[in-house]
Amino acid sequence: MSSAESNSLSVAGRSWRDIRQEVTPLAMSRKGRSRQRLQWFKVGTLFTLLGAGGWGIYTLVHSWETDRSALATAVHSEPVRNIALITDGVLTKKWVAGVLALPKTASLMSLDLETLRSRLLQNGQVWGAVVGRSFPDTLVVTLQERTPVARVQAASDDGSPRQFMVARDGVVYEGVNYKQMVLPWLAGIRLVKAAHGFEPVAGMVDVATLLATAKHQTEWLYNTWQIVSLDRLEARDEIVVKARDIPEIIFTRKQDFSKQLAELDYVVDRVHVLSDPTLLSVNLTLDGQVPIRMRNTPDELAKFPADSLSLQPSQQRKSKRDL
């Protein structure tokens, strides 16, 4: 075989794998290298955060499982340093601290909140109480207080007379921090001793409604009221008021108090035309009629014109409307 034929066969037996593949790669641009470095930085930061977070969780779980008593001791050991008071009345932080009587070394977590709440509610002036914790060292006390509507006098444990307040719901309590509060006295009631003070006075809702209506509608009359008697309330539904100038004013809880007060105001106004008027009694329990008793004798009353003693409030109101 000739050399030419040998070379031809040798070329024919070669494949693409025998071709040299050395190719010079293109150089990476500057922006490409910056993007690559940024990507590596983000990946590295992510793994670092994940590692730190995992280590923190592991440490916390390990501490909780191996040293719970130490954590509890740290919380319990913080003493109470402050009492925060929120109230809608007149009680003070000093009063609350005295009632709660917390030990000086008492910690916030060691306090029995329900027991503290019960101590506050034992005083009738407190209608509602909420006691809570504010870490690390503050006890928060929220109070709702009763508002007195009348006064009553009763004997204290040593036998001496003492003034007590009576609220709308009939609760009797010894008021704290009330200043210059002038309220009518209650009569015709019997105070019954209870575990903490006295049993509530029955019928006080009606009495409180009358007093509130009088103060709002005819305050000039309310300011003269001295004693409110409940002696006839249960048997005859009557509330008897003794005023400074009128010994007896009889109301009924079966009728609207606003109407009765309007009639009383009219009667008092008409009687004042006399030179020496003295009303002994005004009965407002009869619808449409207002019987009255006066100290003046019939001869004294006969000296005044008949129209000056006309006590017909319904006709008077009608003439005013007509005018």
Side-chain angles (χ1 to χ4, degrees), residues 27 115 179 195 209 222 242 253 268 305:
T115 298
K179 298 179 180 179
T209 301
Y222 169 82
K242 179 184 183 302
R253 62 178 173 182
V268 171

Side-chain angles (χ1 to χ4, degrees), residues 152-180:
V152 65
Q153 186 168 287
S156 59
D157 295 336
D158 59 3
S160 60
R162 183 179 298 178
Q163 173 181 293
F164 293 88
M165 300 295 182
V166 185
R168 179 182 179 86
D169 56 2
V171 172
V172 181
Y173 62 93
E174 188 172 1
V176 178
N177 291 339
Y178 293 127
K179 298 179 180 179
Q180 297 179 349

Side-chain angles (χ1 to χ4, degrees), residues 112-145:
D112 186 339
L113 301 186
E114 189 57 35
T115 298
L116 299 180
R117 178 176 177 271
S118 299
R119 291 179 188 175
L120 295 169
L121 291 175
Q122 287 178 6
N123 188 288
Q125 190 164 334
V126 179
W127 177 79
V130 178
V131 182
R133 301 181 180 93
S134 178
F135 293 100
D137 57 5
T138 300
L139 185 69
V140 181
V141 178
T142 304
L143 299 180
Q144 290 178 291
E145 299 183 33

Side-chain angles (χ1 to χ4, degrees), residues 12-274:
R14 296 174 67 184
S15 70
W16 63 271
R17 293 185 179 86
D18 298 326
I19 302 173
R20 295 181 64 182
Q21 300 294 321
E22 292 104 348
V23 178
T24 302
L26 295 174
M28 184 179 294
S29 67
R30 182 179 298 176
K31 291 185 177 180
R33 288 195 300 271
S34 298
R35 285 195 296 269
Q36 189 178 49
R37 285 195 297 269
L38 181 61
Q39 187 67 24
W40 290 345
F41 177 75
K42 290 181 177 179
V43 173
T45 302
L46 177 61
F47 277 105
T48 302
L49 293 175
L50 289 176
W55 177 256
I57 294 174
Y58 168 77
T59 303
L60 180 61
V61 172
H62 180 72
S63 299
W64 179 254
E65 291 180 348
T66 59
D67 199 12
R68 293 183 184 180
S69 60
L71 293 175
T73 301
V75 174
H76 280 268
S77 62
E78 191 69 26
V80 178
R81 292 189 175 90
N82 183 39
I83 296 177
L85 173 62
I86 303 171
T87 182
D88 60 355
V90 297
L91 294 176
T92 63
K93 186 189 301 186
K94 182 179 179 181
W95 179 88
V96 172
V99 171
L100 297 182
L102 301 179
K104 292 182 178 180
T105 59
S107 65
L108 196 61
M109 285 299 298
S110 65
L111 296 177
D112 186 339
L113 301 186
E114 189 57 35
T115 298
L116 299 180
R117 178 176 177 271
S118 299
R119 291 179 188 175
L120 295 169
L121 291 175
Q122 287 178 6
N123 188 288
Q125 190 164 334
V126 179
W127 177 79
V130 178
V131 182
R133 301 181 180 93
S134 178
F135 293 100
D137 57 5
T138 300
L139 185 69
V140 181
V141 178
T142 304
L143 299 180
Q144 290 178 291
E145 299 183 33
R146 288 183 171 87
T147 301
V149 297
R151 299 177 289 173
V152 65
Q153 186 168 287
S156 59
D157 295 336
D158 59 3
S160 60
R162 183 179 298 178
Q163 173 181 293
F164 293 88
M165 300 295 182
V166 185
R168 179 182 179 86
D169 56 2
V171 172
V172 181
Y173 62 93
E174 188 172 1
V176 178
N177 291 339
Y178 293 127
K179 298 179 180 179
Q180 297 179 349
M181 182 175 289
V182 180
L183 299 171
W185 294 92
L186 285 184
I189 62 173
R190 180 174 175 268
L191 294 180
V192 180
K193 284 281 188 179
H196 301 287
F198 302 94
E199 293 290 340
V201 177
M204 278 303 299
V205 173
D206 295 308
V207 174
T209 301
L210 170 61
L211 295 175
T213 305
K215 188 173 183 178
H216 175 71
Q217 182 173 317
T218 54
E219 187 173 6
W220 54 94
L221 293 177
Y222 169 82
N223 290 335
T224 66
W225 292 6
Q226 298 175 332
I227 299 175
V228 179
S229 175
L230 282 66
D231 189 48
R232 307 182 195 174
L233 186 61
E234 183 177 356
R236 300 167 59 177
D237 295 309
E238 294 178 355
I239 302 172
V240 181
V241 174
K242 179 184 183 302
R244 188 183 306 121
D245 301 324
I246 308 175
E248 183 183 67
I249 307 171
I250 309 172
F251 295 89
T252 176
R253 62 178 173 182
K254 291 184 176 181
Q255 299 178 22
D256 181 47
F257 287 133
S258 295
K259 180 181 178 182
Q260 296 177 68
L261 287 166
E263 293 175 340
L264 175 63
D265 181 47
Y266 177 81
V267 168
V268 171
D269 183 64
R270 295 299 294 168
V271 168
H272 280 170
V273 301
L274 299 176

